[in-house]
Amino acid sequence: QVQLEESGGGSVQAGGSLTLSCKASGYMYSYYHMGWFRQAPGKEREGVAVIESDGRTSYAESVKNRFTISKDDAKQILYLSMHSLKPEDTAMYYCAADFRLSLTKTQIDYWGQGTQVTVSS
């Protein structure tokens, strides 16, 4: 069982930066892949970035070179550092965890409650 709690969302102007955090708790944390997904109003949820248990990362093309996913295993915190934010990055951002995780996976075991990111032009 894994519990996830996001924080760090907010409102920022285009070109700005934000860092999201996701505090994870649970016995099996170290075995899980972790990721960030987002959903904008009227759009389907999409994968943003995934980090595997060994540290390998993958990113959606739309955020490459702007977003960085990382984790602190000792603190069990997942991060998403976002730079050069665009209005199209506006969405609810969710932290996710599963034994196997990819940007396109739809059935995911654990989700956080979400944190809103709003980017104004």
Side-chain angles (χ1 to χ4, degrees):
Q1 189 82 11
V2 175
Q3 293 82 43
L4 305 171
E5 183 173 1
E6 304 97 333
S7 61
S11 297
V12 65
Q13 289 192 328
S17 300
L18 280 175
T19 296
L20 306 182
S21 300
C22 173
K23 180 71 176 77
S25 58
Y27 178 74
M28 300 296 287
Y29 166 82
S30 61
Y31 296 96
Y32 280 80
H33 296 181
M34 305 288 293
W36 291 96
F37 292 71
R38 68 186 181 186
Q39 188 167 20
K43 295 188 176 180
E44 292 188 354
R45 184 180 63 205
E46 62 175 347
V48 176
V50 167
I51 186 166
E52 299 182 15
S53 55
D54 63 1
R56 286 180 292 179
T57 59
S58 56
Y59 295 91
E61 284 296 325
S62 61
V63 306
K64 277 185 178 178
N65 301 316
R66 299 191 298 122
F67 291 10
T68 301
I69 189 171
S70 62
K71 58 177 181 156
D72 184 330
D73 286 340
K75 296 181 179 178
Q76 296 191 182
I77 299 177
L78 177 72
Y79 299 100
L80 185 68
S81 180
M82 305 183 293
H83 300 285
S84 301
L85 282 161
K86 304 174 181 180
E88 51 263 44
D89 294 318
T90 295
M92 185 71 78
Y93 283 70
Y94 297 92
C95 176
D98 206 330
F99 277 117
R100 291 291 181 267
L101 193 60
S102 69
L103 295 173
T104 56
K105 188 170 184 179
T106 55
Q107 298 297 321
I108 295 173
D109 283 348
Y110 302 105
W111 292 97
Q113 82 286 353
T115 186
Q116 178 69 36
V117 172
T118 303
V119 184
S120 58
S121 57

